[in-house]
Amino acid sequence: MALTQMQIIQSLGEAMNWLEREVNWGVDVAELRHLMGRIGELYVAMITNGQMAPNTNEKGYDVVTKSGERISVKTTTVSNGAGSIAFNGNTLQFVDRVVILQFNTSEMEIETLLDCSVVDAYTMMTDADAKGKRTI
């Protein structure tokens, strides 16, 4: 069953509250990767008026827009520009668009670092490694 836009917004708010609480308790954001990923996916579903992918661990993508565009969402907390984002090169064929978000924990804000077609994202990626991973 697809979530309504109101449910996506409510879930995003609850996840943000959970994250803020954990950070205030001194939990290192690096230990909250699963939560950061979920926040990013919900955020992209909200801003695109889309839906979460129909299946858990859908091949390559996380969000589907109303028009059927499949989006791979990656969320990072690295802010010094030194980080990299890994993609499974074996499933990028199922993706139409790539969105990379940065979560600023000091301001509790989400910033879009990249929002482009997968074709454009390919030009920024490294060649696939032995495991098929490509990075930006």
Side-chain angles (χ1 to χ4, degrees), residues 8 12 16 37-49 52 63 73 75 99 101 110-112:
I8 289 171
L12 177 58
M16 293 285 288
R38 182 68 174 175
I39 287 171
E41 292 165 4
L42 288 164
Y43 177 77
V44 171
M46 180 188 71
I47 65 172
T48 63
N49 199 24
M52 304 302 285
V63 173
V73 181
T75 307
V99 175
L101 304 171
I110 299 171
E111 301 169 21
T112 303

PDB file of all heavy atoms in Angstrom, residues 8 12 16 37-49 52 63 73 75 99 101 110-112:
ATOM      1  N   ILE A   8       3.823  10.514   4.374  1.00  0.00           N
ATOM      2  CA  ILE A   8       5.244  10.727   4.094  1.00  0.00           C
ATOM      3  C   ILE A   8       5.762  11.896   4.910  1.00  0.00           C
ATOM      4  O   ILE A   8       6.822  11.813   5.548  1.00  0.00           O
ATOM      5  CB  ILE A   8       5.481  10.947   2.578  1.00  0.00           C
ATOM      6  CG1 ILE A   8       5.277   9.627   1.834  1.00  0.00           C
ATOM      7  CG2 ILE A   8       6.873  11.530   2.314  1.00  0.00           C
ATOM      8  CD1 ILE A   8       5.259   9.747   0.327  1.00  0.00           C
ATOM      9  N   LEU A  12       8.495  11.666   7.895  1.00  0.00           N
ATOM     10  CA  LEU A  12       9.710  12.471   7.832  1.00  0.00           C
ATOM     11  C   LEU A  12       9.881  13.276   9.119  1.00  0.00           C
ATOM     12  O   LEU A  12      10.975  13.318   9.692  1.00  0.00           O
ATOM     13  CB  LEU A  12       9.681  13.400   6.617  1.00  0.00           C
ATOM     14  CG  LEU A  12      10.862  14.352   6.455  1.00  0.00           C
ATOM     15  CD1 LEU A  12      12.183  13.595   6.368  1.00  0.00           C
ATOM     16  CD2 LEU A  12      10.655  15.235   5.225  1.00  0.00           C
ATOM     17  N   MET A  16      12.965  12.871  11.750  1.00  0.00           N
ATOM     18  CA  MET A  16      13.798  14.028  12.094  1.00  0.00           C
ATOM     19  C   MET A  16      13.839  14.219  13.614  1.00  0.00           C
ATOM     20  O   MET A  16      14.896  14.515  14.178  1.00  0.00           O
ATOM     21  CB  MET A  16      13.279  15.297  11.413  1.00  0.00           C
ATOM     22  CG  MET A  16      13.408  15.285   9.898  1.00  0.00           C
ATOM     23  SD  MET A  16      15.077  15.545   9.330  1.00  0.00           S
ATOM     24  CE  MET A  16      15.288  17.263   9.685  1.00  0.00           C
ATOM     25  N   GLY A  37      19.551   7.604   5.871  1.00  0.00           N
ATOM     26  CA  GLY A  37      19.075   7.139   4.572  1.00  0.00           C
ATOM     27  C   GLY A  37      17.568   7.239   4.445  1.00  0.00           C
ATOM     28  O   GLY A  37      17.039   7.688   3.421  1.00  0.00           O
ATOM     29  N   ARG A  38      16.866   6.848   5.499  1.00  0.00           N
ATOM     30  CA  ARG A  38      15.397   6.918   5.485  1.00  0.00           C
ATOM     31  C   ARG A  38      14.925   8.360   5.394  1.00  0.00           C
ATOM     32  O   ARG A  38      13.988   8.670   4.661  1.00  0.00           O
ATOM     33  CB  ARG A  38      14.845   6.239   6.744  1.00  0.00           C
ATOM     34  CG  ARG A  38      13.338   6.200   6.823  1.00  0.00           C
ATOM     35  CD  ARG A  38      12.747   5.304   5.780  1.00  0.00           C
ATOM     36  NE  ARG A  38      11.303   5.197   5.989  1.00  0.00           N
ATOM     37  CZ  ARG A  38      10.505   4.566   5.182  1.00  0.00           C
ATOM     38  NH1 ARG A  38      10.974   3.957   4.131  1.00  0.00           N
ATOM     39  NH2 ARG A  38       9.224   4.518   5.429  1.00  0.00           N
ATOM     40  N   ILE A  39      15.558   9.254   6.132  1.00  0.00           N
ATOM     41  CA  ILE A  39      15.193  10.670   6.078  1.00  0.00           C
ATOM     42  C   ILE A  39      15.369  11.198   4.656  1.00  0.00           C
ATOM     43  O   ILE A  39      14.493  11.886   4.123  1.00  0.00           O
ATOM     44  CB  ILE A  39      16.020  11.488   7.093  1.00  0.00           C
ATOM     45  CG1 ILE A  39      15.529  11.185   8.513  1.00  0.00           C
ATOM     46  CG2 ILE A  39      15.941  12.987   6.795  1.00  0.00           C
ATOM     47  CD1 ILE A  39      16.406  11.751   9.614  1.00  0.00           C
ATOM     48  N   GLY A  40      16.487  10.863   4.020  1.00  0.00           N
ATOM     49  CA  GLY A  40      16.718  11.313   2.653  1.00  0.00           C
ATOM     50  C   GLY A  40      15.669  10.794   1.690  1.00  0.00           C
ATOM     51  O   GLY A  40      15.157  11.540   0.838  1.00  0.00           O
ATOM     52  N   GLU A  41      15.330   9.532   1.803  1.00  0.00           N
ATOM     53  CA  GLU A  41      14.330   8.942   0.920  1.00  0.00           C
ATOM     54  C   GLU A  41      12.960   9.591   1.117  1.00  0.00           C
ATOM     55  O   GLU A  41      12.273   9.916   0.144  1.00  0.00           O
ATOM     56  CB  GLU A  41      14.248   7.440   1.153  1.00  0.00           C
ATOM     57  CG  GLU A  41      15.497   6.709   0.718  1.00  0.00           C
ATOM     58  CD  GLU A  41      15.591   5.291   1.252  1.00  0.00           C
ATOM     59  OE1 GLU A  41      14.634   4.820   1.924  1.00  0.00           O
ATOM     60  OE2 GLU A  41      16.621   4.641   1.004  1.00  0.00           O
ATOM     61  N   LEU A  42      12.559   9.776   2.371  1.00  0.00           N
ATOM     62  CA  LEU A  42      11.275  10.422   2.645  1.00  0.00           C
ATOM     63  C   LEU A  42      11.260  11.859   2.138  1.00  0.00           C
ATOM     64  O   LEU A  42      10.263  12.322   1.575  1.00  0.00           O
ATOM     65  CB  LEU A  42      10.975  10.387   4.149  1.00  0.00           C
ATOM     66  CG  LEU A  42      10.599   9.021   4.712  1.00  0.00           C
ATOM     67  CD1 LEU A  42      10.711   9.025   6.234  1.00  0.00           C
ATOM     68  CD2 LEU A  42       9.201   8.616   4.262  1.00  0.00           C
ATOM     69  N   TYR A  43      12.373  12.557   2.310  1.00  0.00           N
ATOM     70  CA  TYR A  43      12.476  13.943   1.851  1.00  0.00           C
ATOM     71  C   TYR A  43      12.296  14.018   0.330  1.00  0.00           C
ATOM     72  O   TYR A  43      11.531  14.841  -0.176  1.00  0.00           O
ATOM     73  CB  TYR A  43      13.825  14.523   2.275  1.00  0.00           C
ATOM     74  CG  TYR A  43      14.068  15.932   1.798  1.00  0.00           C
ATOM     75  CD1 TYR A  43      13.451  17.015   2.433  1.00  0.00           C
ATOM     76  CD2 TYR A  43      14.913  16.182   0.731  1.00  0.00           C
ATOM     77  CE1 TYR A  43      13.678  18.314   2.000  1.00  0.00           C
ATOM     78  CE2 TYR A  43      15.144  17.478   0.290  1.00  0.00           C
ATOM     79  CZ  TYR A  43      14.520  18.538   0.930  1.00  0.00           C
ATOM     80  OH  TYR A  43      14.740  19.820   0.493  1.00  0.00           O
ATOM     81  N   VAL A  44      12.977  13.135  -0.400  1.00  0.00           N
ATOM     82  CA  VAL A  44      12.859  13.147  -1.863  1.00  0.00           C
ATOM     83  C   VAL A  44      11.450  12.740  -2.290  1.00  0.00           C
ATOM     84  O   VAL A  44      10.887  13.329  -3.220  1.00  0.00           O
ATOM     85  CB  VAL A  44      13.939  12.265  -2.516  1.00  0.00           C
ATOM     86  CG1 VAL A  44      13.685  12.092  -4.008  1.00  0.00           C
ATOM     87  CG2 VAL A  44      15.317  12.886  -2.287  1.00  0.00           C
ATOM     88  N   ALA A  45      10.848  11.774  -1.623  1.00  0.00           N
ATOM     89  CA  ALA A  45       9.466  11.397  -1.934  1.00  0.00           C
ATOM     90  C   ALA A  45       8.538  12.593  -1.728  1.00  0.00           C
ATOM     91  O   ALA A  45       7.634  12.837  -2.534  1.00  0.00           O
ATOM     92  CB  ALA A  45       9.024  10.214  -1.082  1.00  0.00           C
ATOM     93  N   MET A  46       8.801  13.356  -0.671  1.00  0.00           N
ATOM     94  CA  MET A  46       7.960  14.520  -0.383  1.00  0.00           C
ATOM     95  C   MET A  46       8.142  15.605  -1.444  1.00  0.00           C
ATOM     96  O   MET A  46       7.165  16.107  -1.993  1.00  0.00           O
ATOM     97  CB  MET A  46       8.293  15.077   0.997  1.00  0.00           C
ATOM     98  CG  MET A  46       7.453  16.292   1.382  1.00  0.00           C
ATOM     99  SD  MET A  46       8.005  17.079   2.900  1.00  0.00           S
ATOM    100  CE  MET A  46       9.549  17.818   2.369  1.00  0.00           C
ATOM    101  N   ILE A  47       9.399  15.975  -1.749  1.00  0.00           N
ATOM    102  CA  ILE A  47       9.607  17.108  -2.663  1.00  0.00           C
ATOM    103  C   ILE A  47       9.263  16.768  -4.115  1.00  0.00           C
ATOM    104  O   ILE A  47       9.017  17.675  -4.915  1.00  0.00           O
ATOM    105  CB  ILE A  47      11.038  17.697  -2.565  1.00  0.00           C
ATOM    106  CG1 ILE A  47      12.088  16.691  -3.027  1.00  0.00           C
ATOM    107  CG2 ILE A  47      11.323  18.219  -1.175  1.00  0.00           C
ATOM    108  CD1 ILE A  47      13.497  17.258  -3.143  1.00  0.00           C
ATOM    109  N   THR A  48       9.225  15.483  -4.451  1.00  0.00           N
ATOM    110  CA  THR A  48       8.863  15.099  -5.816  1.00  0.00           C
ATOM    111  C   THR A  48       7.404  14.678  -5.926  1.00  0.00           C
ATOM    112  O   THR A  48       6.952  14.312  -7.015  1.00  0.00           O
ATOM    113  CB  THR A  48       9.743  13.930  -6.314  1.00  0.00           C
ATOM    114  OG1 THR A  48       9.507  12.782  -5.493  1.00  0.00           O
ATOM    115  CG2 THR A  48      11.212  14.307  -6.330  1.00  0.00           C
ATOM    116  N   ASN A  49       6.700  14.719  -4.803  1.00  0.00           N
ATOM    117  CA  ASN A  49       5.322  14.228  -4.751  1.00  0.00           C
ATOM    118  C   ASN A  49       5.271  12.772  -5.224  1.00  0.00           C
ATOM    119  O   ASN A  49       4.348  12.349  -5.891  1.00  0.00           O
ATOM    120  CB  ASN A  49       4.384  15.106  -5.580  1.00  0.00           C
ATOM    121  CG  ASN A  49       2.934  14.917  -5.197  1.00  0.00           C
ATOM    122  OD1 ASN A  49       2.622  14.500  -4.084  1.00  0.00           O
ATOM    123  ND2 ASN A  49       2.039  15.203  -6.119  1.00  0.00           N
ATOM    124  N   MET A  52       7.653   6.005  -1.988  1.00  0.00           N
ATOM    125  CA  MET A  52       8.769   5.124  -1.690  1.00  0.00           C
ATOM    126  C   MET A  52       8.703   3.958  -2.680  1.00  0.00           C
ATOM    127  O   MET A  52       7.624   3.595  -3.153  1.00  0.00           O
ATOM    128  CB  MET A  52       8.672   4.599  -0.259  1.00  0.00           C
ATOM    129  CG  MET A  52       8.578   5.694   0.806  1.00  0.00           C
ATOM    130  SD  MET A  52       9.952   6.836   0.785  1.00  0.00           S
ATOM    131  CE  MET A  52      11.197   5.821   1.524  1.00  0.00           C
ATOM    132  N   VAL A  63      12.845   5.862  -4.661  1.00  0.00           N
ATOM    133  CA  VAL A  63      11.634   6.673  -4.797  1.00  0.00           C
ATOM    134  C   VAL A  63      11.151   6.586  -6.243  1.00  0.00           C
ATOM    135  O   VAL A  63      11.964   6.529  -7.173  1.00  0.00           O
ATOM    136  CB  VAL A  63      11.921   8.147  -4.422  1.00  0.00           C
ATOM    137  CG1 VAL A  63      10.722   9.041  -4.708  1.00  0.00           C
ATOM    138  CG2 VAL A  63      12.329   8.256  -2.958  1.00  0.00           C
ATOM    139  N   VAL A  73      18.450   7.604  -4.157  1.00  0.00           N
ATOM    140  CA  VAL A  73      18.706   8.657  -3.173  1.00  0.00           C
ATOM    141  C   VAL A  73      19.867   8.244  -2.283  1.00  0.00           C
ATOM    142  O   VAL A  73      19.875   7.143  -1.741  1.00  0.00           O
ATOM    143  CB  VAL A  73      17.463   8.918  -2.294  1.00  0.00           C
ATOM    144  CG1 VAL A  73      17.728  10.022  -1.284  1.00  0.00           C
ATOM    145  CG2 VAL A  73      16.244   9.241  -3.148  1.00  0.00           C
ATOM    146  N   THR A  75      22.248   9.873   0.985  1.00  0.00           N
ATOM    147  CA  THR A  75      22.327  10.934   1.975  1.00  0.00           C
ATOM    148  C   THR A  75      23.637  10.824   2.728  1.00  0.00           C
ATOM    149  O   THR A  75      24.008   9.737   3.170  1.00  0.00           O
ATOM    150  CB  THR A  75      21.146  10.843   2.973  1.00  0.00           C
ATOM    151  OG1 THR A  75      19.919  10.793   2.228  1.00  0.00           O
ATOM    152  CG2 THR A  75      21.114  12.038   3.902  1.00  0.00           C
ATOM    153  N   VAL A  99      19.773  11.551  -6.816  1.00  0.00           N
ATOM    154  CA  VAL A  99      19.724  12.690  -5.897  1.00  0.00           C
ATOM    155  C   VAL A  99      20.664  12.385  -4.738  1.00  0.00           C
ATOM    156  O   VAL A  99      20.534  11.353  -4.087  1.00  0.00           O
ATOM    157  CB  VAL A  99      18.297  12.954  -5.370  1.00  0.00           C
ATOM    158  CG1 VAL A  99      18.299  14.061  -4.330  1.00  0.00           C
ATOM    159  CG2 VAL A  99      17.349  13.304  -6.518  1.00  0.00           C
ATOM    160  N   LEU A 101      21.980  14.006  -1.201  1.00  0.00           N
ATOM    161  CA  LEU A 101      21.654  15.002  -0.187  1.00  0.00           C
ATOM    162  C   LEU A 101      22.748  15.053   0.865  1.00  0.00           C
ATOM    163  O   LEU A 101      23.380  14.039   1.161  1.00  0.00           O
ATOM    164  CB  LEU A 101      20.330  14.647   0.497  1.00  0.00           C
ATOM    165  CG  LEU A 101      19.117  14.468  -0.405  1.00  0.00           C
ATOM    166  CD1 LEU A 101      17.951  13.900   0.392  1.00  0.00           C
ATOM    167  CD2 LEU A 101      18.732  15.778  -1.063  1.00  0.00           C
ATOM    168  N   ILE A 110      18.573  19.804   5.395  1.00  0.00           N
ATOM    169  CA  ILE A 110      18.914  18.947   4.274  1.00  0.00           C
ATOM    170  C   ILE A 110      19.220  19.839   3.082  1.00  0.00           C
ATOM    171  O   ILE A 110      18.442  20.733   2.744  1.00  0.00           O
ATOM    172  CB  ILE A 110      17.750  17.998   3.926  1.00  0.00           C
ATOM    173  CG1 ILE A 110      17.423  17.100   5.111  1.00  0.00           C
ATOM    174  CG2 ILE A 110      18.075  17.176   2.683  1.00  0.00           C
ATOM    175  CD1 ILE A 110      16.161  16.279   4.941  1.00  0.00           C
ATOM    176  N   GLU A 111      20.365  19.588   2.455  1.00  0.00           N
ATOM    177  CA  GLU A 111      20.768  20.348   1.275  1.00  0.00           C
ATOM    178  C   GLU A 111      20.947  19.382   0.114  1.00  0.00           C
ATOM    179  O   GLU A 111      21.453  18.277   0.295  1.00  0.00           O
ATOM    180  CB  GLU A 111      22.082  21.079   1.541  1.00  0.00           C
ATOM    181  CG  GLU A 111      22.005  22.039   2.714  1.00  0.00           C
ATOM    182  CD  GLU A 111      23.369  22.556   3.152  1.00  0.00           C
ATOM    183  OE1 GLU A 111      24.321  22.500   2.341  1.00  0.00           O
ATOM    184  OE2 GLU A 111      23.476  22.989   4.300  1.00  0.00           O
ATOM    185  N   THR A 112      20.555  19.792  -1.068  1.00  0.00           N
ATOM    186  CA  THR A 112      20.735  18.975  -2.261  1.00  0.00           C
ATOM    187  C   THR A 112      22.107  19.256  -2.849  1.00  0.00           C
ATOM    188  O   THR A 112      22.414  20.384  -3.216  1.00  0.00           O
ATOM    189  CB  THR A 112      19.636  19.281  -3.300  1.00  0.00           C
ATOM    190  OG1 THR A 112      18.361  19.057  -2.703  1.00  0.00           O
ATOM    191  CG2 THR A 112      19.787  18.391  -4.527  1.00  0.00           C
TER     192      THR A 112
END
